[in-house]
Amino acid sequence: MSHFGRDRTSAASVRSHRPSTDVDDVLTAFRSGDPVLIHDAADREGETDLVYPAREVTPDSVRRLRNDAGGLVCIALADRVARAWDLPFLQEILSHPAAANHRLEYDERSSFSLPVNHRDTYTGITDDDRALTIATIGAAAEAPKAMDFSATFRTPGHVHLLRAAPDLLSDRQGHTELGVALAETAGLPPAVVVCEMLDDETGGALAPSAAKAYADRNDLRYVDGTHLIERLG
């Protein structure tokens, strides 16, 4: 697995490993445990997420996500996995008035489910704690009914779970579905970490050109969501 470090790649390596939108290259990298960068669409969120296979996440991966991406670290799960673990959509179970009339400008609904910690963590927020929570969920997603979710995790916690649409890209084309579809096509458990890449100077979403440059520097694969939808949808 690649580790974080913005300038670890030599100039010669950068020239020979340009960011690729070839989906086969992205699948190969993801299958090997490397993170990939996925941009959803300019007319949707317009964001690039750094995406990992959840079961491959280590404390180094969490450090990279919070230092180099900077957004919210979440685990996206296939709908069948969420159903096996009885995971609801969060907006459907909240009774607080703030949850009423929950409208999104870019989508019909939120994918958020419960935020959790592994029961063997302390605070749940450290790199080691979050890596344990994420990797355990990632491995268990291969055969979700074999694990007692409530005995293994507690809520509230520090790792946010996302529930993908049942038919993935046919239903919804967010990073949740793009990531899970990528994992399934790669033959991996349908659980991926997604984290928005933010611009340190503006505080907004990292521009696609800057995300591609980051991929270039770190020998990672960048792909536009439209290419994934064409191939995986």
Side-chain angles (χ1 to χ4, degrees):
M1 179 181 299
S2 300
H3 293 283
F4 67 94
R6 295 177 184 268
D7 299 312
R8 69 173 180 84
T9 310
S10 69
S13 178
V14 166
R15 285 193 295 271
S16 62
H17 294 285
R18 310 303 297 181
S20 174
T21 58
D22 185 280
V23 175
D24 286 327
D25 286 351
V26 174
L27 284 165
T28 298
F30 206 63
R31 196 176 288 122
S32 71
D34 287 337
V36 300
L37 285 74
I38 302 176
H39 180 262
D40 61 346
D43 59 354
R44 196 176 179 281
E45 290 180 332
E47 294 175 350
T48 298
D49 279 23
L50 188 59
V51 183
Y52 277 89
R55 73 175 182 185
E56 304 296 335
V57 165
T58 66
D60 278 353
S61 310
V62 177
R63 277 191 282 280
R64 179 179 222 166
L65 288 161
R66 63 180 175 79
N67 287 323
D68 291 9
L72 192 63
V73 178
C74 302
I75 307 177
L77 299 168
D79 180 73
R80 67 180 183 278
V81 175
R83 284 188 283 107
W85 290 337
D86 242 357
L87 296 174
F89 286 110
L90 190 56
Q91 70 186 60
E92 294 178 355
I93 64 169
L94 292 176
S95 58
H96 192 280
N101 300 319
H102 183 74
R103 295 188 180 91
L104 299 174
E105 292 185 7
Y106 58 87
D107 208 341
E108 293 182 359
R109 63 159 176 79
S110 168
S111 293
F112 277 95
S113 184
L114 302 178
V116 301
N117 287 340
H118 194 286
R119 288 190 180 273
D120 289 343
T121 61
Y122 186 52
T123 66
I125 193 61
T126 64
D127 294 341
D128 286 348
D129 279 359
R130 280 195 280 182
L132 174 61
T133 299
I134 292 166
T136 303
I137 288 175
E142 189 162 20
K145 292 183 179 179
M147 184 186 71
D148 185 336
F149 189 87
S150 297
T152 309
F153 303 96
R154 62 179 184 269
T155 189
H158 292 84
V159 176
H160 294 267
L161 303 183
L162 307 174
R163 181 171 171 172
D167 291 325
L168 291 178
L169 298 173
S170 297
D171 285 348
R172 187 173 181 271
Q173 298 176 351
H175 283 104
T176 299
E177 289 73 26
L178 290 164
V180 172
L182 181 65
E184 290 193 332
T185 305
L188 300 175
V192 299
V193 173
V194 296
C195 184
E196 305 92 344
M197 300 197 77
L198 304 179
D199 189 311
D200 287 340
E201 294 184 3
T202 69
L206 193 67
S209 58
K212 291 176 185 177
Y214 174 87
D216 198 335
R217 288 195 304 274
N218 290 278
D219 191 16
L220 300 177
R221 295 294 179 261
Y222 170 98
V223 65
D224 195 274
T226 56
H227 291 88
L228 289 181
I229 293 165
E230 287 170 3
R231 173 71 180 275
L232 311 179

